């Protein structure tokens, strides 16, 4: 099984002292959730897991080792690897200290939906095999169990890896469905009403920011008091402004992993905001974040004939 | 305040090298334009952070204008080219979220275009007047007007 391969690779890396630290996932304390796991000793590697509930984007933890001399191996789903690529481009981590163990991924499952549809399921009962989701070895209906952000995924294989564990995956066997489309199709007033309503539930815990692999500022604008950009109190309009400003920081950087949405304790579809921004970037500047090391970030370059029909 | 007494309040972020000088020229040439605009001078349109615009709306502005040098004329060579890319994304994103496009407007005004400056201000004020006060965005606003 793939999990065994991952464990033995990890153990070997630590035994041979090729890395000091391995960042992976382990079984969490809550059912159907996995937790990030830092392995420093070879025996720690036995706790590593790999299943469709390994939802944390591990690229997020690299920022803590920016200045450390340690060599780090990181398990990376396709979106984790894309986030690492963006971090490398932004010089947030050095490539020579990093061993990327790429994992082709067909998508993550939503723990709530799994719990509802498959009572008694544990994360180890679920696995992807040849494009199909298996529950205790039996194929099961996939699309309704998946995270919305994963159902619209276009990049299932890591674009950057020192070693890929498992076979590269092709087209998934489930229906590709872009939930952004559903919101694009709403008429503007309806969409505005929807977001205003959703934003009344936000408690401004900043879990979305904290889960994001690409939010690494030492000081965030939301914590600035002079000037006070957004009020700390979770008023609906400030909540929306926070999301708008957060998304504007993600222009040409967001890898659409959906970590923010999965982290949201009140389940607001907040990944929609940066994903919409990425859609604009893709249409206007034909750019997608985290796919190539060479292409310039869209806001760090320009063309003389860029569109400007909205400017008087 | 009643809707009848309301006058639009516009915060204009003008680049030091072109639009600010353009505004100056409009003044020197005694060109008429509505007094609804409050000018904030910035080094370059490329220095505009979207947070500045939100802050202005939050503090009670009904509309915001960002104005800089024409493409190719930037004092810092390319600041306005970068700004333009940023504004494309910002504008489309805000409209998608249901912000009125009239609230945040952009223009290029050179130091010699005093006439254009007064026209731009007239246009911006007219358009903001049409959409009305931005009470929803103001910090202390509670309930419906």
């Amino acid at each position: 099984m793939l999990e065994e391969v991952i464990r033995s690779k990890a153990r070997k890396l630590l035994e041979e002292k090729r890395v000091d630290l391995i960042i992976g996932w382990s079984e969490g304390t809550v059912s159907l959730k996995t937790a990030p796991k830092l392995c420093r000793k070879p025996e720690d590697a036995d706790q590593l897991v790999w299943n469709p509930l390994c939802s944390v984007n591990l690229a997020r933890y690299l920022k803590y080792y920016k200045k450390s001399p340690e060599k780090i191996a990181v398990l990376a789903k396709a979106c984790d690897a894309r986030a690492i690529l963006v971090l490398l481009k932004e010089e947030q981590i050095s490539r020579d200290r990093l061993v990327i163990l790429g994992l082709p991924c067909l998508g993550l499952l939503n723990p709530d939906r799994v719990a509802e549809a498959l009572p008694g399921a544990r994360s180890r009962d679920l696995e992807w095999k040849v494009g199909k989701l298996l529950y205790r070895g039996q194929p099961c209906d996939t699309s309704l169990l998946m995270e919305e952000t994963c159902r619209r995924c276009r990049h299932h294989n890591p674009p950057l890896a020192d070693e890929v564990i498992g076979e590269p995956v092709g087209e998934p066997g489930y229906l590709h469905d872009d939930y952004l489309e559903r919101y694009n199709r709403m008429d503007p007033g309806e969409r505005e009403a929807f977001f205003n309503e959703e934003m009344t539930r936000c408690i401004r815990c900043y879990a979305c920011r904290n889960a994001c692999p690409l939010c690494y500022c030492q000081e965030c604008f939301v914590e600035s008091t002079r000037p006070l950009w957004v009020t700390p109190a979770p008023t609906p309009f400030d909540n929306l402004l926070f999301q708008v400003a957060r998304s504007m920081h993600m222009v040409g950087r967001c890898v659409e992993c959906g970590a923010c949405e999965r982290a949201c304790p009140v389940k607001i579809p907040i990944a929609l905001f940066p994903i919409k921004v990425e859609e604009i970037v893709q249409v206007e500047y034909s750019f997608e974040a985290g796919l190539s090391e060479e292409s310039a970030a869209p806001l760090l370059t320009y063309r003389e004939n860029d569109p400007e029909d909205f400017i008087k | 305040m009643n809707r009848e007494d309301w006058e639009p309040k516009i915060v204009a972020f003008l680049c030091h090298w072109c639009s600010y000088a353009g505004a100056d020229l409009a003044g020197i040439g005694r060109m008429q334009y509505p007094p609804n605009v409050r000018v904030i001078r910035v080094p370059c349109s490329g220095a505009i952070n979207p947070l500045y615009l939100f802050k202005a709306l939050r503090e009670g502005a009904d509309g915001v204008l960002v104005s800089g040098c024409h493409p190719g004329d930037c004092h810092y060579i390319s600041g306005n080219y970068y700004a333009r890319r940023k504004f494309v994304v910002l504008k489309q994103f805000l409209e998608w979220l249901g912000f009125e496009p009239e609230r945040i407007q952009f223009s290029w005004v050179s130091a010699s275009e005093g006439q254009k400056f007064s026209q731009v201000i007239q246009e911006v004020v007219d358009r903001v007047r049409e959409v009305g006060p931005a009470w929803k965005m103001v910090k202390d606003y509670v309930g419906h007007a």
Side-chain angles (χ1 to χ4, degrees):
Chain A
M1 226 179 113
L2 216 50
E3 209 164 76
E4 288 306 316
V5 182
I6 293 170
R7 286 176 187 168
S8 72
K9 283 235 159 61
R11 203 180 304 118
K12 214 163 138 214
L13 281 170
L14 287 166
E15 274 166 1
E16 292 170 359
K17 302 223 181 309
R18 282 170 56 205
V19 298
D20 304 295
L21 172 69
I22 291 177
I23 307 179
W25 301 273
S26 70
E27 205 63 60
T29 48
V30 181
S31 75
L32 295 174
K33 296 226 171 155
T34 57
K37 171 78 184 163
L38 305 182
C39 309
R40 288 184 184 275
K41 296 193 289 276
E43 57 267 31
D44 292 344
D46 294 334
Q47 291 177 38
L48 292 177
V49 299
W50 168 239
N51 57 51
L53 290 148
C54 290
S55 64
V56 175
N57 190 328
L58 296 176
R60 197 240 164 309
Y61 295 92
L62 294 176
K63 72 173 186 183
Y64 300 119
Y65 303 96
K66 185 181 177 186
K67 295 274 157 73
S68 95
E70 289 173 307
K71 284 207 81 172
I72 301 165
V74 53
L75 294 179
K77 305 184 290 281
C79 46
D80 302 25
R82 287 176 69 195
I84 294 171
L85 209 149
V86 177
L87 290 172
L88 286 168
K89 258 168 90 171
E90 295 174 0
E91 299 182 14
Q92 291 304 308
I93 189 91
S94 59
R95 183 71 181 91
D96 48 347
R97 288 202 287 114
L98 211 55
V99 176
I100 302 164
L101 303 172
L103 296 162
C105 165
L106 276 172
L108 299 168
L109 304 180
N110 182 308
D112 295 339
R113 293 178 185 174
V114 172
E116 197 180 320
L118 309 166
R122 289 160 305 172
S123 52
R124 77 184 87 128
D125 298 333
L126 292 148
E127 67 170 326
W128 284 109
K129 209 162 207 173
V130 242
K132 281 211 166 61
L133 182 71
L134 302 186
Y135 172 61
R136 293 181 181 155
Q138 298 299 312
C140 64
D141 181 30
T142 327
S143 50
L144 294 175
L145 301 180
M146 285 184 66
E147 292 286 356
E148 294 279 17
T149 45
C150 291
R151 285 171 70 188
R152 63 187 297 284
C153 180
R154 300 174 302 273
H155 305 284
H156 298 283
N157 296 300
L160 170 78
D162 293 295
E163 191 174 347
V164 176
I165 302 176
E167 292 296 310
V169 294
E171 277 301 299
Y174 54 84
L175 199 64
H176 181 95
D177 177 34
D178 190 344
Y179 79 139
L180 182 61
E181 278 304 313
R182 296 206 289 277
Y183 294 92
N184 281 344
R185 274 201 300 270
M186 283 182 179
D187 59 63
E190 197 185 347
R191 192 163 51 224
E192 187 187 4
F194 170 79
F195 285 127
N196 287 346
E197 182 67 31
E198 289 290 297
M199 282 300 141
T200 58
R201 295 195 286 125
C202 172
I203 54 172
R204 286 279 274 291
C205 62
Y206 303 129
C208 42
R209 177 195 68 183
N210 295 350
C212 178
L214 297 169
C215 273
Y216 53 71
C217 293
Q218 295 282 316
E219 252 176 71
C220 181
F221 71 93
V222 291
E223 267 120 27
S224 148
T225 49
R226 310 183 95 185
L228 186 71
W229 299 118
V230 291
T231 62
T235 59
F237 194 70
D238 279 298
N239 297 342
L240 185 65
L241 273 192
F242 161 58
Q243 292 297 341
V244 172
R246 181 177 82 88
S247 307
M248 285 306 292
H249 288 183
M250 301 306 295
V251 180
R253 304 173 63 233
C254 177
V255 295
E256 303 170 35
C257 66
C260 45
E261 190 164 310
R262 294 195 293 276
C264 183
V266 293
K267 302 190 176 15
I268 303 173
I270 40 178
L272 280 170
F273 301 114
I275 284 174
K276 177 65 194 178
V277 165
E278 287 313 295
E279 189 197 58
I280 297 169
V281 165
Q282 212 187 339
V283 170
E284 295 289 340
Y285 307 121
S286 333
F287 179 88
E288 264 187 285
L291 291 184
S292 108
E293 278 168 279
E294 285 80 39
S295 57
L299 290 196
L300 298 180
T301 183
Y302 63 88
R303 263 184 260 116
E304 286 182 5
N305 56 355
D306 279 331
E308 60 162 19
D309 48 349
F310 64 95
I311 302 177
K312 281 202 220 13
Chain B
M1 191 168 52
N2 296 323
R3 180 82 189 236
E4 297 81 63
D5 311 331
W6 172 79
E7 274 291 320
K9 233 183 254 152
I10 313 289
V11 173
F13 293 90
L14 307 183
C15 116
H16 169 78
W17 303 98
C18 297
S19 300
Y20 193 80
D24 213 16
L25 187 66
I28 292 168
R30 306 276 168 113
M31 293 162 199
Q32 293 290 318
Y33 61 84
N36 304 58
V37 55
R38 279 76 167 156
V39 173
I40 295 177
R41 184 171 61 162
V42 292
C44 177
S45 51
I48 295 290
N49 183 329
L51 287 171
Y52 300 171
L53 314 183
F54 302 145
K55 181 76 175 165
L57 293 169
R58 212 72 185 107
E59 299 290 334
D62 299 299
V64 172
L65 168 71
V66 179
S67 188
C69 310
H70 286 274
D73 291 349
C74 180
H75 182 79
Y76 306 102
I77 315 297
S78 51
N80 53 3
Y81 285 126
Y82 291 115
R84 187 167 62 179
R85 284 212 155 192
K86 192 164 25 181
F87 299 154
V88 166
V89 179
L90 180 66
K91 188 150 178 73
Q92 289 190 30
F93 184 43
L94 290 182
E95 281 175 29
W96 185 75
L97 286 172
F99 280 63
E100 292 122 335
E102 289 82 3
R103 303 265 184 233
I104 297 184
Q105 304 192 39
F106 305 91
S107 73
W108 303 135
V109 171
S110 84
S112 59
E113 293 176 325
Q115 190 65 47
K116 180 172 176 188
F117 181 80
S118 78
Q119 275 167 17
V120 165
I121 297 297
Q122 184 68 57
E123 248 174 76
V124 169
V125 172
D126 289 348
R127 291 189 62 198
V128 172
R129 198 184 292 278
E130 273 166 36
V131 287
W135 279 328
K136 194 179 74 183
M137 295 176 190
V138 177
K139 200 165 50 184
D140 302 320
Y141 167 68
V142 193
H144 297 278

